[in-house]
Amino acid sequence: MRAQLDSRKVFQTANYTFLIGISLLCILPFIHVLAISLSSKTAAAAGSVLFWPVGFTFKSYDYVLSKPAFVDALLITLKRVGLGTLINMFLTILIAYPLAKEVRDFKYRTAYAWYFVLTILFSGGLIPTYMIVNKTYLMDTIWALIIPGAVPVFNVILLLNFFRGLPRELEEASFVDGAGHWTVLWRILVPLSAPALATIVLFTIVGHWNSWFDGLIFMNRPENYPLQSYLQTVIIQQDLLRVASQSLDSLAEVSERTSKAAQIFMGALPILLVYPFLQKYFIKGIVLGSVKE
Amino acid sequence: MRSKRIKEMPLHLMLLPGAILVLIYCYGPMFGIIMAFQNFKPAFGFFRSEWVGFGNFTYISDLPSTFQVLYNTVYIALMKIVAGLVVPIGIAILLNEIGKTFIKRSIQTLIYLPHFLSWIILGGILIDVLSPSSGIVNRVLEGIGLPSVYFLGDNRWFPFTVVVTDLWKEFGFATIVYLAALTSINPNLYEAAIVDGANRWKQTWHITLPGMMPIIVLLTTLSLGNILNAGFDQIFNMYSPQVFESGDIIDTFVYRLGLVDAQFGPATAVGLFKSIVSLAFISVSYLLAYRLANYRIF
């Protein structure tokens, strides 16, 4: 008994150490980059920055925020997040409602469901999608970032399963009272689905904020790039092509590395601020989506 | 009788806008697949481009890099699938052993942070910390007397770097589902086991793991569908020409072939190959998930 208690203690200590170590591994790279973004050019180049800024300065942020390209890209992203989330949510709700009906209430329910689900199973691929977006005159407009993905089928499935879990008596009573589908959907089902909807809204916002590839291929002019596409060109492409940025050398306290670090951090900031508070919603949402009975 | 009272017309109307958008932007590209059998020229469009039968497919299979690309894709994807199943299960079991709710919560919050960020942000961070000259990882390696490694530029290292960094991004989030399965195990089972003299290890082996089995089986079968998804977003933002040999995958290959070199026909042909193989794997995985875990998507 005594030996068992001791080995339990050893295990607990090792377990705590291991898991705390793992969590540090997840957060330290971010802290390191944040520290670099707040350090002076010379300290960053000398490699003396670990997890605390050396030669503390906001110059890198001043520099980045003074670049019109960065600010314009940020505005485009905000526009896309707002418009895109609104349209995604509206269509998700509108599609999930009929598909949540039983076949005896809505004969074509299964046919429609397969019509939408097929698009997850099979896709035309990159090149034909590009051609269609091109042919429908969306190139270089904000709609190229919103319309092709306007129907998020996974979210529709999530919500329709949630609708099906709600007590049917509520809507039946409303139908008896003479309410139509539209009223039942918006007045009864939507308010009851607040937790599921909050989860989907969160994922939609994060998805739009993080999207970069559509901006890269559907925008011919870089001034139409949303933030993540813009960051792709300044942080990733620059580095991979080993192109040295000339314009920065003239600035005394900002280097390419510190300004990149500042841009990385600003691209992540909204998500860093929001996600800890939404934890309980998305845990509920993901469990609801994957383990259902 | 009830069905008579519920009108169906408004339901069709609600589905109409979504159905039209899906028709154009999901089914439209499926029609565009005919490009795979054409010498497609944008000026001539879908209808007047020259038909070449399976010419694009033979052209692709004659390219020297094609089979390397296919191999890279399956190799990286398989490693990701295995790591993405084993590690989150292990972490969930270990997290479950932590009694203090506050610490458990905090660890969870930290480990799913990377999941929410794009591969642009993470790629930028990784390029910085893994840099052979100034990156912090190599400075640590040198500090403890090891040679520095060019993680993103060395073909021997690149595939593993991709798998480990993908794991770093996703393991925390993947843990959520397993933790949920753990908390739904009936505590009476553990009490009975303790009465019977089972130690913690035996409890884990005989109660915890079997309790998680349904969800493990489900997620394993569903992950089969990813056999050709090695992760475009990640690799596109982490690779460079010097690691094409070990890191070029189907999706990055299609991108360069189609959108950079404007070889629309061959690129569509490769994309079609991927879609068909993926469809087969996804169908089998859904069928297995239905048979083994009684899973239905809707």
Side-chain angles (χ1 to χ4, degrees), chain A residues 8 15 25 30 47 104 112 115 122-123 136 138 157 181 210 228 232 239-240 242 257 272 275 279 292, chain B residues 2-3 7 12 19 25 27 94 97 109 112-113 116-118 120 127-128 139 150 237 239 275 296-297:
Chain A
R8 178 79 192 148
N15 193 25
L25 221 53
F30 295 93
R104 67 189 145 97
Y112 273 115
Y115 174 80
F122 192 79
S123 82
T136 48
L138 297 185
I157 295 173
H181 287 298
N210 280 342
Q228 298 281 332
Q232 208 276 338
D239 210 276
L240 294 176
R242 303 272 174 275
R257 190 164 178 214
L272 297 182
Y275 95 96
Q279 194 167 330
K292 56 172 201 287
Chain B
R2 184 188 290 123
S3 60
K7 292 200 191 77
H12 288 289
Y25 292 100
Y27 287 95
L94 291 180
E97 293 292 321
T109 308
Y112 34 67
L113 165 65
F116 288 95
L117 297 165
S118 71
I120 307 300
I127 289 171
D128 186 285
R139 269 163 42 216
Y150 195 180
N237 289 309
Y239 81 161
S275 295
R296 293 166 66 211
I297 28 177

CSV table of all heavy atoms in Angstrom, one decimal, chain A residues 8 15 25 30 47 104 112 115 122-123 136 138 157 181 210 228 232 239-240 242 257 272 275 279 292, chain B residues 2-3 7 12 19 25 27 94 97 109 112-113 116-118 120 127-128 139 150 237 239 275 296-297:
chain,number,residue,atom,x,y,z
A,8,ARG,N,2.5,6.5,-7.0
A,8,ARG,CA,1.5,7.4,-7.4
A,8,ARG,C,2.0,8.8,-7.4
A,8,ARG,O,1.8,9.6,-8.3
A,8,ARG,CB,0.2,7.2,-6.6
A,8,ARG,CG,-0.9,8.1,-6.9
A,8,ARG,CD,-1.7,7.6,-8.1
A,8,ARG,NE,-2.6,8.7,-8.5
A,8,ARG,CZ,-3.0,8.8,-9.8
A,8,ARG,NH1,-2.5,8.0,-10.7
A,8,ARG,NH2,-3.8,9.7,-10.2
A,15,ASN,N,3.8,13.5,-14.4
A,15,ASN,CA,2.7,13.9,-15.2
A,15,ASN,C,2.5,15.4,-15.3
A,15,ASN,O,2.4,16.0,-16.4
A,15,ASN,CB,1.4,13.2,-14.7
A,15,ASN,CG,0.3,13.3,-15.8
A,15,ASN,OD1,0.6,13.4,-17.0
A,15,ASN,ND2,-0.9,13.2,-15.3
A,25,LEU,N,5.6,24.5,-24.5
A,25,LEU,CA,6.0,24.3,-25.9
A,25,LEU,C,5.0,24.9,-26.9
A,25,LEU,O,5.4,25.4,-28.0
A,25,LEU,CB,6.1,22.8,-26.2
A,25,LEU,CG,7.3,22.3,-27.0
A,25,LEU,CD1,8.6,22.8,-26.5
A,25,LEU,CD2,7.3,20.8,-27.1
A,30,PHE,N,5.2,31.8,-29.4
A,30,PHE,CA,4.5,33.0,-29.6
A,30,PHE,C,5.2,34.1,-28.7
A,30,PHE,O,5.3,35.3,-29.2
A,30,PHE,CB,3.1,32.9,-29.2
A,30,PHE,CG,2.3,31.9,-30.1
A,30,PHE,CD1,2.2,30.6,-29.8
A,30,PHE,CD2,1.8,32.4,-31.3
A,30,PHE,CE1,1.6,29.7,-30.6
A,30,PHE,CE2,1.1,31.5,-32.1
A,30,PHE,CZ,1.0,30.2,-31.8
A,47,GLY,N,20.8,37.9,-31.5
A,47,GLY,CA,20.3,36.7,-31.0
A,47,GLY,C,20.3,36.7,-29.5
A,47,GLY,O,20.3,35.6,-28.9
A,104,ARG,N,-41.5,12.4,-43.5
A,104,ARG,CA,-42.9,12.4,-43.6
A,104,ARG,C,-43.5,13.9,-43.7
A,104,ARG,O,-44.5,14.1,-44.1
A,104,ARG,CB,-43.6,11.6,-42.5
A,104,ARG,CG,-43.4,12.2,-41.2
A,104,ARG,CD,-43.9,11.2,-40.1
A,104,ARG,NE,-43.1,11.3,-38.9
A,104,ARG,CZ,-43.5,12.0,-37.9
A,104,ARG,NH1,-44.6,12.6,-37.8
A,104,ARG,NH2,-42.7,12.1,-36.8
A,112,TYR,N,-32.4,16.6,-51.0
A,112,TYR,CA,-31.7,17.9,-50.8
A,112,TYR,C,-30.5,17.6,-49.9
A,112,TYR,O,-29.4,18.2,-50.2
A,112,TYR,CB,-32.6,18.9,-50.1
A,112,TYR,CG,-33.5,19.7,-51.0
A,112,TYR,CD1,-34.8,19.6,-50.9
A,112,TYR,CD2,-32.9,20.6,-51.8
A,112,TYR,CE1,-35.6,20.4,-51.8
A,112,TYR,CE2,-33.7,21.4,-52.7
A,112,TYR,CZ,-35.0,21.3,-52.6
A,112,TYR,OH,-35.8,22.1,-53.4
A,115,TYR,N,-27.8,16.3,-51.9
A,115,TYR,CA,-27.3,17.3,-52.9
A,115,TYR,C,-26.2,18.2,-52.2
A,115,TYR,O,-25.2,18.5,-52.8
A,115,TYR,CB,-28.5,18.2,-53.3
A,115,TYR,CG,-28.2,19.4,-54.1
A,115,TYR,CD1,-28.0,19.3,-55.5
A,115,TYR,CD2,-28.2,20.7,-53.6
A,115,TYR,CE1,-27.7,20.4,-56.3
A,115,TYR,CE2,-27.9,21.8,-54.3
A,115,TYR,CZ,-27.7,21.6,-55.7
A,115,TYR,OH,-27.4,22.7,-56.5
A,122,PHE,N,-17.0,15.1,-52.8
A,122,PHE,CA,-16.3,15.3,-54.1
A,122,PHE,C,-16.2,16.7,-54.5
A,122,PHE,O,-17.2,17.5,-54.3
A,122,PHE,CB,-17.1,14.5,-55.2
A,122,PHE,CG,-16.3,14.3,-56.5
A,122,PHE,CD1,-15.3,13.4,-56.6
A,122,PHE,CD2,-16.6,15.1,-57.6
A,122,PHE,CE1,-14.6,13.2,-57.8
A,122,PHE,CE2,-15.9,15.0,-58.7
A,122,PHE,CZ,-14.9,14.0,-58.8
A,123,SER,N,-15.1,17.1,-55.0
A,123,SER,CA,-15.0,18.5,-55.5
A,123,SER,C,-14.3,18.6,-56.8
A,123,SER,O,-13.6,17.7,-57.2
A,123,SER,CB,-14.3,19.4,-54.5
A,123,SER,OG,-12.9,19.2,-54.7
A,136,THR,N,-17.5,34.0,-63.5
A,136,THR,CA,-18.7,34.7,-62.9
A,136,THR,C,-18.3,36.1,-62.4
A,136,THR,O,-19.0,36.7,-61.6
A,136,THR,CB,-19.3,33.9,-61.7
A,136,THR,OG1,-18.2,33.5,-60.9
A,136,THR,CG2,-20.0,32.7,-62.2
A,138,LEU,N,-16.1,37.5,-60.5
A,138,LEU,CA,-15.9,37.8,-59.0
A,138,LEU,C,-14.4,38.2,-58.8
A,138,LEU,O,-14.1,38.8,-57.7
A,138,LEU,CB,-16.2,36.6,-58.2
A,138,LEU,CG,-17.6,36.1,-58.1
A,138,LEU,CD1,-17.7,35.0,-57.1
A,138,LEU,CD2,-18.6,37.2,-57.8
A,157,ILE,N,-24.7,20.7,-41.3
A,157,ILE,CA,-24.9,19.4,-40.7
A,157,ILE,C,-24.9,19.6,-39.1
A,157,ILE,O,-25.8,19.0,-38.4
A,157,ILE,CB,-23.8,18.4,-41.1
A,157,ILE,CG1,-24.0,18.2,-42.6
A,157,ILE,CG2,-23.9,17.1,-40.3
A,157,ILE,CD1,-22.8,17.3,-43.2
A,181,HIS,N,-43.6,28.4,-41.3
A,181,HIS,CA,-42.2,27.9,-41.1
A,181,HIS,C,-41.2,29.0,-40.7
A,181,HIS,O,-40.4,28.9,-39.9
A,181,HIS,CB,-41.7,27.3,-42.4
A,181,HIS,CG,-42.3,26.0,-42.7
A,181,HIS,ND1,-42.2,24.9,-41.9
A,181,HIS,CD2,-43.1,25.6,-43.8
A,181,HIS,CE1,-42.8,23.9,-42.4
A,181,HIS,NE2,-43.4,24.3,-43.6
A,210,ASN,N,-8.7,33.8,-40.9
A,210,ASN,CA,-7.5,33.1,-41.3
A,210,ASN,C,-7.3,32.8,-42.7
A,210,ASN,O,-6.3,32.3,-43.1
A,210,ASN,CB,-7.5,31.8,-40.5
A,210,ASN,CG,-7.0,32.0,-39.0
A,210,ASN,OD1,-6.4,33.0,-38.7
A,210,ASN,ND2,-7.3,31.0,-38.2
A,228,GLN,N,-4.4,38.2,-44.3
A,228,GLN,CA,-3.6,37.0,-44.3
A,228,GLN,C,-2.9,36.7,-45.6
A,228,GLN,O,-1.8,36.2,-45.6
A,228,GLN,CB,-4.4,35.8,-43.9
A,228,GLN,CG,-5.0,35.9,-42.5
A,228,GLN,CD,-4.0,35.5,-41.4
A,228,GLN,OE1,-3.1,34.8,-41.6
A,228,GLN,NE2,-4.3,36.1,-40.2
A,232,GLN,N,1.0,36.6,-46.1
A,232,GLN,CA,1.7,35.5,-46.8
A,232,GLN,C,2.8,36.1,-47.7
A,232,GLN,O,3.9,35.5,-47.8
A,232,GLN,CB,0.7,34.7,-47.6
A,232,GLN,CG,1.0,33.3,-47.8
A,232,GLN,CD,1.9,33.0,-49.0
A,232,GLN,OE1,2.0,33.8,-49.9
A,232,GLN,NE2,2.6,31.9,-49.0
A,239,ASP,N,10.7,35.4,-47.3
A,239,ASP,CA,11.7,34.6,-46.7
A,239,ASP,C,12.1,33.4,-47.6
A,239,ASP,O,13.3,33.1,-47.7
A,239,ASP,CB,11.1,34.0,-45.4
A,239,ASP,CG,12.2,33.8,-44.4
A,239,ASP,OD1,12.9,32.8,-44.4
A,239,ASP,OD2,12.5,34.7,-43.6
A,240,LEU,N,11.1,32.8,-48.2
A,240,LEU,CA,11.5,31.6,-49.0
A,240,LEU,C,12.3,32.0,-50.2
A,240,LEU,O,13.1,31.2,-50.7
A,240,LEU,CB,10.2,30.9,-49.4
A,240,LEU,CG,9.4,30.3,-48.2
A,240,LEU,CD1,8.2,29.6,-48.6
A,240,LEU,CD2,10.3,29.2,-47.5
A,242,ARG,N,14.3,34.4,-50.3
A,242,ARG,CA,15.5,35.1,-49.8
A,242,ARG,C,15.7,36.5,-50.5
A,242,ARG,O,16.8,36.9,-50.9
A,242,ARG,CB,16.8,34.3,-50.2
A,242,ARG,CG,16.7,32.9,-49.6
A,242,ARG,CD,17.3,32.9,-48.2
A,242,ARG,NE,17.2,31.5,-47.6
A,242,ARG,CZ,16.1,31.1,-47.0
A,242,ARG,NH1,15.0,32.0,-46.9
A,242,ARG,NH2,16.0,29.9,-46.5
A,257,ARG,N,13.5,41.4,-39.6
A,257,ARG,CA,13.0,40.4,-38.7
A,257,ARG,C,12.1,40.9,-37.6
A,257,ARG,O,11.0,40.3,-37.3
A,257,ARG,CB,14.3,39.8,-38.0
A,257,ARG,CG,13.9,38.6,-37.2
A,257,ARG,CD,15.1,37.8,-36.8
A,257,ARG,NE,14.8,36.6,-36.0
A,257,ARG,CZ,15.5,36.1,-35.0
A,257,ARG,NH1,16.7,36.7,-34.8
A,257,ARG,NH2,15.2,35.1,-34.3
A,272,LEU,N,-6.0,35.6,-30.4
A,272,LEU,CA,-5.4,35.4,-29.0
A,272,LEU,C,-6.3,36.1,-28.0
A,272,LEU,O,-6.4,35.6,-26.9
A,272,LEU,CB,-4.0,36.1,-28.9
A,272,LEU,CG,-2.9,35.5,-29.8
A,272,LEU,CD1,-1.6,36.2,-29.6
A,272,LEU,CD2,-2.8,34.0,-29.6
A,275,TYR,N,-10.1,33.8,-28.1
A,275,TYR,CA,-10.4,32.4,-27.9
A,275,TYR,C,-10.5,31.9,-26.5
A,275,TYR,O,-11.4,31.0,-26.2
A,275,TYR,CB,-9.5,31.6,-28.8
A,275,TYR,CG,-8.3,31.0,-28.0
A,275,TYR,CD1,-8.3,29.8,-27.5
A,275,TYR,CD2,-7.2,31.8,-27.9
A,275,TYR,CE1,-7.2,29.3,-26.8
A,275,TYR,CE2,-6.1,31.3,-27.2
A,275,TYR,CZ,-6.1,30.1,-26.7
A,275,TYR,OH,-5.0,29.6,-26.0
A,279,GLN,N,-13.9,29.4,-25.0
A,279,GLN,CA,-13.6,28.0,-24.8
A,279,GLN,C,-14.8,27.1,-24.5
A,279,GLN,O,-15.0,26.1,-25.1
A,279,GLN,CB,-12.6,27.9,-23.6
A,279,GLN,CG,-11.9,26.6,-23.5
A,279,GLN,CD,-10.8,26.7,-22.5
A,279,GLN,OE1,-10.2,27.8,-22.4
A,279,GLN,NE2,-10.4,25.7,-21.8
A,292,LYS,N,-22.4,12.2,-31.2
A,292,LYS,CA,-23.8,12.4,-31.0
A,292,LYS,C,-24.5,11.0,-31.0
A,292,LYS,O,-24.0,10.1,-31.6
A,292,LYS,CB,-24.4,13.3,-32.1
A,292,LYS,CG,-24.2,12.7,-33.5
A,292,LYS,CD,-24.9,13.5,-34.5
A,292,LYS,CE,-25.1,12.7,-35.8
A,292,LYS,NZ,-23.9,12.6,-36.6
B,2,ARG,N,-50.7,14.7,-40.1
B,2,ARG,CA,-50.0,15.9,-39.7
B,2,ARG,C,-49.3,16.5,-41.0
B,2,ARG,O,-49.2,17.7,-41.1
B,2,ARG,CB,-48.9,15.5,-38.7
B,2,ARG,CG,-48.2,16.7,-38.2
B,2,ARG,CD,-47.0,16.4,-37.3
B,2,ARG,NE,-47.5,15.8,-36.0
B,2,ARG,CZ,-47.2,14.6,-35.6
B,2,ARG,NH1,-46.4,13.9,-36.3
B,2,ARG,NH2,-47.6,14.2,-34.4
B,3,SER,N,-48.7,15.6,-41.8
B,3,SER,CA,-48.0,16.2,-43.0
B,3,SER,C,-48.8,17.1,-43.8
B,3,SER,O,-48.3,17.9,-44.5
B,3,SER,CB,-47.4,15.0,-43.8
B,3,SER,OG,-48.5,14.2,-44.3
B,7,LYS,N,-46.9,23.0,-44.8
B,7,LYS,CA,-46.8,23.2,-46.2
B,7,LYS,C,-45.3,23.0,-46.6
B,7,LYS,O,-44.4,23.3,-45.9
B,7,LYS,CB,-47.1,24.7,-46.5
B,7,LYS,CG,-48.6,25.0,-46.3
B,7,LYS,CD,-49.0,26.3,-47.0
B,7,LYS,CE,-50.4,26.8,-46.7
B,7,LYS,NZ,-50.4,27.4,-45.4
B,12,HIS,N,-38.9,24.6,-49.7
B,12,HIS,CA,-38.2,24.7,-51.0
B,12,HIS,C,-37.6,26.1,-51.2
B,12,HIS,O,-36.4,26.2,-51.6
B,12,HIS,CB,-39.1,24.4,-52.2
B,12,HIS,CG,-39.5,23.0,-52.3
B,12,HIS,ND1,-38.7,22.0,-52.7
B,12,HIS,CD2,-40.7,22.4,-52.1
B,12,HIS,CE1,-39.3,20.8,-52.7
B,12,HIS,NE2,-40.5,21.0,-52.3
B,19,ALA,N,-29.0,26.4,-52.6
B,19,ALA,CA,-29.0,25.4,-53.7
B,19,ALA,C,-28.4,26.0,-55.0
B,19,ALA,O,-27.5,25.3,-55.6
B,19,ALA,CB,-30.3,24.8,-54.0
B,25,TYR,N,-21.0,27.1,-57.7
B,25,TYR,CA,-19.6,27.1,-57.2
B,25,TYR,C,-19.2,25.7,-56.7
B,25,TYR,O,-18.0,25.6,-56.4
B,25,TYR,CB,-19.5,28.1,-56.1
B,25,TYR,CG,-19.6,29.5,-56.7
B,25,TYR,CD1,-20.7,30.3,-56.6
B,25,TYR,CD2,-18.5,30.0,-57.4
B,25,TYR,CE1,-20.9,31.5,-57.2
B,25,TYR,CE2,-18.6,31.3,-58.1
B,25,TYR,CZ,-19.8,32.0,-58.0
B,25,TYR,OH,-19.9,33.2,-58.6
B,27,TYR,N,-21.0,22.5,-58.0
B,27,TYR,CA,-21.3,21.6,-59.1
B,27,TYR,C,-20.7,22.1,-60.4
B,27,TYR,O,-20.3,21.4,-61.3
B,27,TYR,CB,-22.8,21.3,-59.2
B,27,TYR,CG,-23.2,20.3,-58.1
B,27,TYR,CD1,-23.8,20.8,-57.0
B,27,TYR,CD2,-23.1,19.0,-58.2
B,27,TYR,CE1,-24.2,20.0,-55.9
B,27,TYR,CE2,-23.4,18.1,-57.2
B,27,TYR,CZ,-24.0,18.6,-56.1
B,27,TYR,OH,-24.4,17.8,-55.1
B,94,LEU,N,-3.6,11.4,-19.9
B,94,LEU,CA,-2.7,12.0,-18.9
B,94,LEU,C,-3.4,13.2,-18.3
B,94,LEU,O,-3.4,13.4,-17.1
B,94,LEU,CB,-1.4,12.5,-19.5
B,94,LEU,CG,-0.4,11.3,-19.9
B,94,LEU,CD1,0.8,11.9,-20.5
B,94,LEU,CD2,-0.1,10.5,-18.7
B,97,GLU,N,-5.8,12.5,-15.5
B,97,GLU,CA,-5.2,12.1,-14.2
B,97,GLU,C,-5.0,13.3,-13.4
B,97,GLU,O,-4.7,13.2,-12.2
B,97,GLU,CB,-3.9,11.4,-14.4
B,97,GLU,CG,-4.0,10.0,-15.1
B,97,GLU,CD,-4.7,9.0,-14.2
B,97,GLU,OE1,-4.5,9.0,-13.0
B,97,GLU,OE2,-5.5,8.2,-14.7
B,109,THR,N,-6.3,25.3,-22.3
B,109,THR,CA,-6.3,26.6,-22.9
B,109,THR,C,-5.1,26.8,-23.7
B,109,THR,O,-5.1,27.3,-24.9
B,109,THR,CB,-6.6,27.7,-21.9
B,109,THR,OG1,-7.7,27.4,-21.1
B,109,THR,CG2,-6.8,29.0,-22.7
B,112,TYR,N,-4.6,24.3,-27.0
B,112,TYR,CA,-5.2,24.4,-28.3
B,112,TYR,C,-5.1,25.8,-28.9
B,112,TYR,O,-5.8,26.2,-29.8
B,112,TYR,CB,-6.7,23.9,-28.4
B,112,TYR,CG,-7.6,24.0,-27.2
B,112,TYR,CD1,-8.0,25.2,-26.7
B,112,TYR,CD2,-8.0,22.8,-26.7
B,112,TYR,CE1,-8.9,25.2,-25.7
B,112,TYR,CE2,-8.9,22.8,-25.7
B,112,TYR,CZ,-9.4,24.0,-25.2
B,112,TYR,OH,-10.2,24.0,-24.2
B,113,LEU,N,-4.2,26.6,-28.3
B,113,LEU,CA,-4.0,27.9,-29.0
B,113,LEU,C,-3.5,27.8,-30.4
B,113,LEU,O,-4.1,28.5,-31.3
B,113,LEU,CB,-2.9,28.7,-28.2
B,113,LEU,CG,-2.3,29.9,-28.8
B,113,LEU,CD1,-3.3,30.9,-29.1
B,113,LEU,CD2,-1.1,30.4,-28.0
B,116,PHE,N,-6.1,27.6,-33.6
B,116,PHE,CA,-6.9,28.7,-34.1
B,116,PHE,C,-6.2,29.7,-35.0
B,116,PHE,O,-6.8,30.6,-35.5
B,116,PHE,CB,-7.5,29.5,-32.9
B,116,PHE,CG,-8.6,28.7,-32.2
B,116,PHE,CD1,-8.3,28.0,-31.1
B,116,PHE,CD2,-9.9,28.7,-32.7
B,116,PHE,CE1,-9.3,27.2,-30.5
B,116,PHE,CE2,-10.9,28.0,-32.1
B,116,PHE,CZ,-10.6,27.2,-31.0
B,117,LEU,N,-4.9,29.5,-35.2
B,117,LEU,CA,-4.1,30.4,-36.0
B,117,LEU,C,-3.8,29.8,-37.4
B,117,LEU,O,-3.8,28.6,-37.5
B,117,LEU,CB,-2.8,30.8,-35.3
B,117,LEU,CG,-3.1,31.5,-33.9
B,117,LEU,CD1,-1.9,31.5,-33.1
B,117,LEU,CD2,-3.6,32.9,-34.2
B,118,SER,N,-3.7,30.7,-38.3
B,118,SER,CA,-3.5,30.2,-39.7
B,118,SER,C,-2.1,29.8,-39.9
B,118,SER,O,-1.2,30.1,-39.2
B,118,SER,CB,-3.8,31.4,-40.7
B,118,SER,OG,-2.8,32.3,-40.6
B,120,ILE,N,-0.2,30.9,-42.1
B,120,ILE,CA,0.6,32.0,-42.4
B,120,ILE,C,1.3,32.5,-41.1
B,120,ILE,O,2.6,32.6,-41.1
B,120,ILE,CB,-0.3,33.2,-42.9
B,120,ILE,CG1,-1.1,32.8,-44.1
B,120,ILE,CG2,0.6,34.4,-43.2
B,120,ILE,CD1,-0.4,32.3,-45.2
B,127,ILE,N,9.3,29.6,-39.4
B,127,ILE,CA,10.5,29.9,-40.2
B,127,ILE,C,11.5,30.7,-39.3
B,127,ILE,O,12.7,30.5,-39.4
B,127,ILE,CB,10.0,30.8,-41.4
B,127,ILE,CG1,9.3,29.9,-42.4
B,127,ILE,CG2,11.2,31.5,-42.1
B,127,ILE,CD1,8.6,30.7,-43.5
B,128,ASP,N,11.0,31.5,-38.4
B,128,ASP,CA,11.9,32.3,-37.5
B,128,ASP,C,12.6,31.4,-36.5
B,128,ASP,O,13.8,31.4,-36.4
B,128,ASP,CB,11.1,33.4,-36.8
B,128,ASP,CG,12.0,34.3,-36.0
B,128,ASP,OD1,12.5,33.9,-34.9
B,128,ASP,OD2,12.3,35.4,-36.5
B,139,ARG,N,19.8,27.5,-31.7
B,139,ARG,CA,20.7,28.0,-30.7
B,139,ARG,C,20.7,27.1,-29.5
B,139,ARG,O,21.7,26.9,-28.8
B,139,ARG,CB,20.3,29.5,-30.4
B,139,ARG,CG,21.0,30.5,-31.2
B,139,ARG,CD,20.5,31.8,-31.3
B,139,ARG,NE,20.0,32.3,-30.0
B,139,ARG,CZ,18.9,33.1,-29.9
B,139,ARG,NH1,18.2,33.4,-30.9
B,139,ARG,NH2,18.6,33.5,-28.7
B,150,TYR,N,19.0,22.2,-40.5
B,150,TYR,CA,18.2,23.1,-41.3
B,150,TYR,C,16.9,22.4,-41.6
B,150,TYR,O,16.7,21.7,-42.6
B,150,TYR,CB,19.0,23.3,-42.7
B,150,TYR,CG,18.4,24.4,-43.5
B,150,TYR,CD1,19.0,24.8,-44.7
B,150,TYR,CD2,17.3,25.2,-43.1
B,150,TYR,CE1,18.5,25.8,-45.5
B,150,TYR,CE2,16.8,26.2,-43.9
B,150,TYR,CZ,17.4,26.5,-45.1
B,150,TYR,OH,16.9,27.5,-45.9
B,237,ASN,N,3.3,27.0,-47.2
B,237,ASN,CA,3.9,28.1,-46.4
B,237,ASN,C,5.2,27.7,-45.8
B,237,ASN,O,5.8,28.5,-45.1
B,237,ASN,CB,3.0,28.6,-45.4
B,237,ASN,CG,1.8,29.4,-46.0
B,237,ASN,OD1,2.0,30.3,-46.9
B,237,ASN,ND2,0.6,29.0,-45.7
B,239,TYR,N,7.5,25.1,-47.5
B,239,TYR,CA,8.5,24.5,-48.4
B,239,TYR,C,9.2,25.5,-49.2
B,239,TYR,O,8.8,26.7,-49.2
B,239,TYR,CB,7.9,23.4,-49.2
B,239,TYR,CG,7.1,23.7,-50.4
B,239,TYR,CD1,6.8,22.8,-51.4
B,239,TYR,CD2,6.6,25.0,-50.6
B,239,TYR,CE1,6.1,23.1,-52.5
B,239,TYR,CE2,5.8,25.3,-51.8
B,239,TYR,CZ,5.6,24.3,-52.7
B,239,TYR,OH,4.9,24.6,-53.9
B,275,SER,N,-9.3,13.7,-56.5
B,275,SER,CA,-10.7,13.7,-56.0
B,275,SER,C,-11.3,12.4,-56.0
B,275,SER,O,-12.0,12.0,-55.1
B,275,SER,CB,-11.5,14.7,-56.9
B,275,SER,OG,-11.1,16.0,-56.8
B,296,ARG,N,-23.6,8.2,-38.4
B,296,ARG,CA,-24.3,8.8,-39.6
B,296,ARG,C,-24.1,10.3,-39.6
B,296,ARG,O,-24.1,10.9,-38.6
B,296,ARG,CB,-25.8,8.5,-39.6
B,296,ARG,CG,-26.1,7.0,-39.7
B,296,ARG,CD,-27.5,6.7,-39.4
B,296,ARG,NE,-28.4,7.3,-40.3
B,296,ARG,CZ,-29.7,7.7,-40.0
B,296,ARG,NH1,-30.1,7.6,-38.8
B,296,ARG,NH2,-30.4,8.3,-40.9
B,297,ILE,N,-23.8,10.8,-40.8
B,297,ILE,CA,-23.5,12.2,-40.8
B,297,ILE,C,-24.7,13.1,-40.7
B,297,ILE,O,-24.6,14.1,-40.1
B,297,ILE,CB,-22.7,12.7,-42.1
B,297,ILE,CG1,-23.0,11.8,-43.3
B,297,ILE,CG2,-21.2,12.8,-41.8
B,297,ILE,CD1,-22.3,12.3,-44.6
